[in-house]
Amino acid sequence: MAEPIRVVVTGAAGQIAYSLLYMIARGEVFGKDQPLILHLLDIPPMVGVLEGVVMELADCALPLLREVVPTTDPLVGFKDVSAAFLVGAMPRKEGMERKDLLSANVKIFKVQGEALDKVAKKDVKVLVVGNPANTNALVCSNYAPSIPKENFSAMTRLDQNRAASQLANKMGVPITSVSNVIIWGNHSSTQYPDASQGTILINGEWKPIAQAVNDNAYLQGSFIETVQKRGAAVIGARKMSSAMSAAKAACDHMHDWWNGTAPGKFVSMGVFSDGSYGSPKGVVFSFPVEIKNKQWKIVDNLPITDFAKGKLNVTGTELQEEKDEAMSVLDSN
Amino acid sequence: MAEPIRVVVTGAAGQIAYSLLYMIARGEVFGKDQPLILHLLDIPPMVGVLEGVVMELADCALPLLREVVPTTDPLVGFKDVSAAFLVGAMPRKEGMERKDLLSANVKIFKVQGEALDKVAKKDVKVLVVGNPANTNALVCSNYAPSIPKENFSAMTRLDQNRAASQLANKMGVPITSVSNVIIWGNHSSTQYPDASQGTILINGEWKPIAQAVNDNAYLQGSFIETVQKRGAAVIGARKMSSAMSAAKAACDHMHDWWNGTAPGKFVSMGVFSDGSYGSPKGVVFSFPVEIKNKQWKIVDNLPITDFAKGKLNVTGTELQEEKDEAMSVLDSN
């Protein structure tokens, strides 16, 4: 069996991590033959809860889990890690301005970027789940100059899974019959869930989703809104934010980054923009990507309608504003 | 691919179910080629939360999950199910006498037994997780006379996993190096975690645990106490009871029941006692079992020391008392 790799989860005492740690330790991301040493990073007030999580992970009797390292020290948490799930972030509180939220998170992701830079493996794959995920990933990378920018990403896979699930449900097919639905832009309410590049398996035949659904008003209207507002709808019902489904999406994201995508399939990841599809260069923007040898590549030459251009513009503008605000916070510190 | 089977989880809006539903839907119990229809049963006040769980299960985009049926009606929840995870139960509240607790749970498991009897598959496998699990399983079976008694079981696998984990940690070996640790009796503080029948892999050689550990005071003292009190220790740290590890153990239990145990390996399950090892006949008692063709068989002829006899007697007496009290509640209703 392979040598263990080290994987860190931040916000490790929280609800998403509670689902995520199990999934990782079970082998869902790095495979059934890859032993793991899990690093659990959280803030000092969470040390007690973290200890309980460590006990439960032991009690799960998971064959791949060789060691668990709970810590509040980023230099311990990120030491020699091959993969990092940055789940912990400052949540938006009522009445909080975007700038206040960005400011609080810039501080967290600056510290984590610096720690990654100092002690993580140079080929570490970093997935930011904590919101605002795109801009947090940007800040984190900014403070880890020794690690390639390509190794930082933000999660929009939950949105992709939600979008695919909506379409499967509408068409009455299993989720495996929906392919290549895209999330563009920011993991926020400006995101653009785009079914127009995807295909769906109906009666044994893969068809363009737009053709199979045959309802443009839906695809450009309530489909998009439902995906954009799904997080709030889950909170409305469950009285707690999405945890299981967020953790599953984080696993999907890292799994595909680690293992690659099947030929012709693409997945959505927030990555540094090279200006593709008119997006602002240098922001972390969600694109459709294909992955091979642990390297993602933006899928190019997809047809973009005027409707899509408008949507891409809105979410790109928001990301540029977030970046500018984050940078002004950084400059003033 | 096989036809979907129906699986019910009760207490489906609760914390254990939140972990468990994902694990089942992911294929951890019935395999990666077995599509599933999940029935989620809970009580009317939980309908809102349940709806949130249904949304998240959809958003997990799980290939095996073909349909989710949330319901508050046992006749819908148990309809045509092949496996039942009875997680929901009335928890013990402060100042509650055992008899009050039994009384509240007898009512729940009577209703569920009757529903199973009416509408479940006759070969349904029933695992009771909700406490007092052993006696709840007994009551449930009592009201489902058309289903074989062998198809009802109570979970002690969490205790077994905890016990194995303690030993692996003490000896500094992976959890896969610990085998055949037994939980005898009741899933309560009288349970007897027994390392004396087990083996441990040390330096490439399987040895009796007692010989490898070479510390009888530990094995008959703090080892037992730690396992017996582990649930309370987790609550102390996490401020919530075990959910992830309980769900994992439920999966392990049903997985092994469904798929069988490897030659020479046994696992602990609470099952109807035939009087083996001096246990009271007719209570649901945790024994070491081997499983083949979905049928468990108590491992016989294990050597029992006088120390063990004392422990078995204590937990057996408790189960007999619980049974008598439950039956008196039933008789008076």
Side-chain angles (χ1 to χ4, degrees):
Chain A
M1 197 172 254
E3 281 298 299
I5 57 170
R6 291 175 186 271
V7 175
V8 65
V9 174
T10 72
Q15 287 302 305
I16 294 176
Y18 191 69
S19 287
L20 177 59
L21 287 164
Y22 174 83
M23 296 176 189
I24 298 170
R26 177 80 189 172
E28 292 186 19
V29 179
F30 305 101
K32 293 288 181 193
D33 297 315
Q34 179 57 65
L36 299 164
I37 298 170
L38 277 182
H39 292 200
L40 276 52
L41 182 65
D42 214 314
I43 52 177
M46 303 308 288
V47 163
V49 176
L50 205 54
E51 182 53 33
V53 175
V54 172
M55 292 166 79
E56 282 211 77
L57 281 169
D59 295 348
C60 280
L62 292 158
L64 295 173
L65 189 57
R66 291 305 155 82
E67 194 184 338
V68 178
V69 181
T71 181
T72 59
D73 180 354
L75 293 178
V76 174
F78 291 108
K79 178 76 176 157
D80 294 333
V81 295
S82 297
F85 294 82
L86 306 189
V87 178
M90 176 70 72
R92 188 189 287 263
K93 288 170 192 154
E94 211 165 319
M96 206 180 205
E97 299 284 324
R98 186 171 71 178
K99 191 150 188 168
D100 299 335
L101 182 71
L102 277 167
S103 176
N105 278 294
V106 158
K107 285 172 198 154
I108 295 170
F109 285 88
K110 178 183 172 187
V111 169
Q112 299 192 350
E114 289 169 343
L116 279 160
D117 195 55
K118 271 194 199 134
V119 298
K121 292 203 163 198
K122 293 304 172 198
D123 61 354
V124 61
K125 305 276 174 279
V126 181
L127 164 58
V128 179
V129 175
N131 287 321
N134 298 51
T135 300
N136 287 342
L138 183 147
V139 170
C140 193
S141 167
N142 193 61
Y143 284 96
S146 70
I147 297 168
K149 284 199 169 324
E150 292 71 27
N151 293 21
F152 290 82
S153 65
M155 186 167 95
T156 53
R157 186 63 171 265
L158 176 54
D159 308 297
Q160 178 190 316
N161 287 346
R162 286 166 169 170
S165 162
Q166 287 300 316
L167 294 166
N169 186 51
K170 183 172 178 72
M171 301 303 290
V173 299
I175 188 71
T176 44
S177 297
V178 180
S179 188
N180 291 8
V181 178
I182 300 169
I183 305 299
W184 300 92
N186 200 2
H187 173 63
S188 76
S189 60
T190 68
Q191 65 175 265
Y192 171 39
D194 175 12
S196 71
Q197 320 286 351
T199 53
I200 191 161
L201 183 64
I202 305 271
N203 300 328
E205 195 188 338
W206 287 96
K207 291 181 182 168
I209 290 173
Q211 182 193 324
V213 172
N214 195 23
D215 183 349
N216 219 30
Y218 165 75
L219 288 176
Q220 296 193 351
S222 69
F223 163 69
I224 293 175
E225 277 164 38
T226 300
V227 176
Q228 287 173 337
K229 296 179 181 166
R230 184 73 165 177
V234 169
I235 293 174
R238 218 169 77 82
K239 312 299 173 210
M240 294 175 79
S241 59
S242 308
M244 172 210 301
S245 54
K248 166 60 163 54
C251 288
D252 287 346
H253 177 121
M254 190 66 84
H255 174 275
D256 289 347
W257 202 356
W258 203 262
N259 299 286
T261 48
K265 299 276 178 183
F266 42 80
V267 293
S268 298
M269 281 173 68
V271 295
F272 274 98
S273 167
D274 59 356
S276 290
Y277 297 103
S279 61
K281 204 173 162 175
V283 304
V284 172
F285 194 97
S286 181
F287 292 106
V289 301
E290 295 171 308
I291 302 162
K292 216 173 152 176
N293 300 323
K294 297 193 171 66
Q295 306 288 329
W296 54 263
K297 186 182 157 297
I298 296 170
V299 178
D300 53 19
N301 293 319
L302 294 173
I304 302 293
T305 62
D306 285 345
F307 176 81
K309 271 182 200 158
K311 293 285 182 191
L312 291 178
N313 189 46
V314 169
T315 194
T317 300
E318 184 184 55
L319 280 168
Q320 184 65 53
E321 286 169 8
E322 278 190 20
K323 180 184 172 183
D324 294 344
E325 286 177 23
M327 287 303 158
S328 75
V329 171
L330 288 175
D331 291 342
S332 67
N333 271 273
Chain B
M1 199 171 252
E3 282 298 298
I5 57 170
R6 291 174 186 271
V7 176
V8 65
V9 174
T10 72
Q15 288 301 305
I16 293 176
Y18 191 70
S19 287
L20 177 60
L21 287 164
Y22 174 82
M23 296 175 190
I24 297 170
R26 177 81 189 171
E28 293 186 19
V29 179
F30 304 102
K32 293 287 182 192
D33 297 315
Q34 178 58 64
L36 299 164
I37 298 170
L38 277 181
H39 292 199
L40 277 53
L41 181 65
D42 214 314
I43 52 177
M46 304 308 288
V47 162
V49 176
L50 204 55
E51 183 53 34
V53 175
V54 172
M55 292 165 80
E56 282 212 77
L57 282 169
D59 295 349
C60 280
L62 292 158
L64 295 173
L65 189 56
R66 292 303 157 83
E67 194 185 339
V68 177
V69 181
T71 182
T72 58
D73 180 353
L75 293 178
V76 174
F78 291 108
K79 177 76 177 160
D80 294 333
V81 295
S82 296
F85 295 81
L86 306 189
V87 177
M90 177 69 73
R92 187 189 288 261
K93 288 170 192 153
E94 210 165 320
M96 206 179 206
E97 298 284 322
R98 184 169 72 178
K99 191 149 189 169
D100 300 334
L101 182 71
L102 277 167
S103 175
N105 278 294
V106 157
K107 284 172 200 155
I108 295 170
F109 286 88
K110 178 184 173 187
V111 169
Q112 299 193 349
E114 288 169 342
L116 280 160
D117 195 54
K118 271 193 201 136
V119 297
K121 290 202 163 197
K122 293 305 170 197
D123 61 355
V124 61
K125 305 275 174 280
V126 181
L127 164 58
V128 179
V129 175
N131 287 319
N134 298 52
T135 300
N136 287 343
L138 183 148
V139 170
C140 193
S141 167
N142 193 62
Y143 285 96
S146 70
I147 297 168
K149 283 200 169 325
E150 291 70 26
N151 293 21
F152 290 82
S153 65
M155 186 167 93
T156 52
R157 186 62 170 265
L158 176 53
D159 308 297
Q160 178 191 316
N161 286 348
R162 287 166 168 169
S165 162
Q166 288 300 316
L167 294 165
N169 186 51
K170 184 173 179 72
M171 301 304 288
V173 298
I175 188 71
T176 44
S177 296
V178 179
S179 188
N180 291 7
V181 177
I182 301 170
I183 305 298
W184 298 93
N186 199 2
H187 174 62
S188 77
S189 60
T190 67
Q191 64 175 268
Y192 171 39
D194 176 11
S196 72
Q197 320 286 350
T199 54
I200 191 162
L201 183 63
I202 305 273
N203 300 328
E205 195 188 340
W206 287 95
K207 290 181 181 166
I209 289 172
Q211 181 193 324
V213 172
N214 194 23
D215 182 350
N216 220 30
Y218 166 75
L219 288 176
Q220 297 193 351
S222 69
F223 163 69
I224 294 175
E225 278 164 37
T226 301
V227 176
Q228 287 173 337
K229 295 178 180 166
R230 183 73 165 178
V234 169
I235 294 174
R238 217 168 79 82
K239 312 299 174 211
M240 294 174 80
S241 59
S242 308
M244 173 210 300
S245 54
K248 166 62 162 55
C251 288
D252 287 347
H253 177 121
M254 189 66 83
H255 175 275
D256 289 347
W257 201 357
W258 203 262
N259 299 286
T261 48
K265 299 275 178 185
F266 41 81
V267 293
S268 298
M269 281 173 68
V271 295
F272 274 97
S273 168
D274 59 356
S276 289
Y277 297 103
S279 60
K281 205 173 161 176
V283 304
V284 172
F285 194 98
S286 180
F287 292 104
V289 302
E290 294 171 309
I291 302 162
K292 216 173 152 176
N293 300 324
K294 295 193 171 66
Q295 306 288 329
W296 54 263
K297 185 182 158 297
I298 295 170
V299 178
D300 54 17
N301 292 320
L302 294 173
I304 302 292
T305 62
D306 285 346
F307 176 81
K309 270 181 201 160
K311 294 284 182 191
L312 291 178
N313 189 46
V314 169
T315 194
T317 300
E318 183 184 55
L319 279 169
Q320 184 63 55
E321 286 169 9
E322 277 189 21
K323 179 183 174 181
D324 294 345
E325 286 177 23
M327 288 303 158
S328 76
V329 171
L330 289 176
D331 291 341
S332 68
N333 272 273

